[in-house]
Structures are given as C-alpha cells and as structure tokens.
Amino acid sequence: AILERYGHEFTWEIKSSMMGKPERAAVEWLFNRFPDIPLSIDDYISERRARQDALWHTCQPLPGVLKLVNHLAKHKIPMAVATGSLKRNYDLKTEHLPELFAPFEGKVICGDDARLKDRGKPRPDVFLLAAEMLGRKVGTGDVSSLDGSGEEGKALIEERARGLVLEDSTSGLEAGRRAGMKTIWVPDAKLRALAPNETYGADCILESLEQLKPEEWGLPPYDS
C-alpha cells in the first residue's frame, strides 16, 4: 500500500528479494530499487510497522507446522527459531500462538540479535548461532572457509551437516547452504511461480510441510 501511493506495485518479485533479510537492509534494497520514493528509510519503516502491528495477531501456522513441531518436541529433537524478523515483530506475531512456539523453550535468534552484528541472512551466522544455542560446536563463517583437510575443520563440517534448515525465503536458503546445513525450501506458491525450475540449491522443495517425511531426514517417523 505504501508503494502504490507513489505509483509502484509491491510484487512477489520485490517481496522475494526482501524476505528473510534484516528489516533495514531489506528497506535499503527497496529504496535502491525505487529511488523516487519521497520518504526517509526511517519514515517508511515506521509506517510499515504500524500497518504490520495491526495485523500480526491474525497470523496463523501454515499446514503441517504444528504437527511437526509437536512431533520433534515429543522426541526431544533439539530445535530453534532463526528468523530475520526483529525481536519486537517476532514477539507480536507469535504471542497468540503459544501452542506453536512454547516447544522451542525460548531458543530464538532474531535479526536484530546483537551477536549477529548486522550479519543477517543470506549470511550463515543466524543458523550457526541457533546451532550454538542448541549446544552444538559449529564454529563461525561460511562452510567454504573451513579447512576440511584438518581434524578440527572436518569435525565442524560434519557437525554442521547434521543441521536441518526449513525455509520459505531464498535468502534463508542461501544462509542455510553457507552454514553447511541441509535445507528444505517450503515457498509460497506465488514465490515458486517466479522461477518454477529454480531450486536455489535446496536439498528438497515441498509445497507444504504436510509433505515432509521426517524419517527421510534421520528423524523419528510420525506415529501415523
């Protein structure tokens, strides 16, 4: 609605380029795309936040998400949320969904976490921090920077490969790959339609988490 006021359309192509990224970085990208918008970045963010804040309480889990989270919690599989969202936004859009987010037991890394030092998706840091939160020794930096010929580097690479990232954004997919973890992409159908033959390096692409078979990823199978 903000873009339309200035003669531009907020298409899925634009949205896909902003998804998963830290808020300010995403808006800076948007302003580079549309330099004629007569607003400051701060004014744009303020207006967008006000509009989003009025809608966060309407967010609902996508099909298959609640079943998967409860299943993993039941089997005590370590899991965390690694999101590009600001902490304030995360709190607003999850506070009415305790049945979904309580099983994470507060293990959440948000895009404005000070430990990220503005290194949000598509950099791998958010997933590496999440892994550390789960008690895993994964090191820092892109997996490509690790020395696989050495004992320590090899151990870090192997530990990272045990991680499984579920993502809806292409920037998140890149972050997961750069972390050296397995990636499952569950894109919105409109996002997928932009490039239906593109995999963005995902290990698996699903239309819905209802299609996920945990046992194919080394996890306990569903009871039924």
Side-chain angles (χ1 to χ4, degrees):
I2 302 177
L3 283 186
E4 291 174 357
R5 195 162 70 226
Y6 302 107
H8 302 296
E9 182 181 359
F10 192 73
T11 64
W12 262 96
E13 180 185 3
I14 294 170
K15 182 175 181 177
S16 69
S17 296
M18 298 175 68
M19 286 175 65
K21 295 178 180 176
E23 181 181 55
R24 179 166 288 274
V27 176
E28 287 174 349
W29 177 92
L30 183 70
F31 273 50
N32 285 331
R33 176 76 176 263
F34 300 113
D36 60 320
I37 298 176
L39 294 174
S40 69
I41 289 178
D42 288 334
D43 286 343
Y44 182 93
I45 288 175
S46 294
E47 181 174 348
R48 190 178 74 160
R49 281 187 185 178
R51 292 171 179 269
Q52 290 176 330
D53 288 352
L55 297 172
W56 290 134
H57 71 282
T58 66
C59 292
Q60 292 299 318
L62 293 172
V65 174
L66 188 57
K67 178 182 179 181
L68 176 61
V69 168
N70 287 335
H71 174 71
L72 297 179
K74 174 184 175 181
H75 290 279
K76 302 187 184 307
I77 304 298
M79 56 183 177
V81 175
T83 175
S85 294
L86 298 179
K87 180 64 163 58
R88 72 172 296 279
N89 291 350
Y90 171 83
D91 289 341
L92 288 170
K93 62 183 171 183
T94 63
E95 62 185 2
H96 64 291
L97 299 170
E99 70 281 4
L100 175 58
F101 291 96
F104 289 95
E105 299 178 334
K107 296 180 178 67
V108 179
I109 301 291
C110 290
D112 55 344
D113 190 298
R115 292 169 293 179
L116 285 177
K117 300 177 182 179
D118 295 323
R119 292 179 57 82
K121 301 174 185 178
R123 297 181 177 90
D125 302 54
V126 66
F127 292 122
L128 299 178
L129 278 174
E132 287 183 0
M133 184 177 284
L134 297 176
R136 305 296 176 177
K137 184 179 179 181
V138 293
T140 61
D142 284 44
V143 68
S144 61
S145 69
L146 299 177
D147 181 7
S149 63
E151 186 174 331
E152 182 178 1
K154 182 179 178 181
L156 292 176
I157 292 171
E158 290 177 349
E159 185 64 18
R160 292 185 183 202
R162 298 177 64 189
L164 178 61
V165 170
L166 303 178
E167 262 291 344
D168 63 345
S169 72
T170 55
S171 62
L173 272 183
E174 182 179 342
R177 291 199 319 275
R178 290 170 63 176
M181 300 177 183
K182 301 179 182 68
T183 56
I184 297 178
W185 188 31
V186 193
D188 185 283
K190 293 179 181 178
L191 173 58
R192 183 73 175 130
L194 293 177
N197 297 319
E198 178 60 69
T199 67
Y200 298 101
D203 293 300
C204 177
I205 301 175
L206 302 177
E207 294 180 0
S208 165
L209 278 179
E210 291 179 309
Q211 298 174 327
L212 179 66
K213 297 180 180 179
E215 64 273 18
E216 294 181 352
W217 301 93
L219 298 167
Y222 285 130
D223 295 333
S224 59

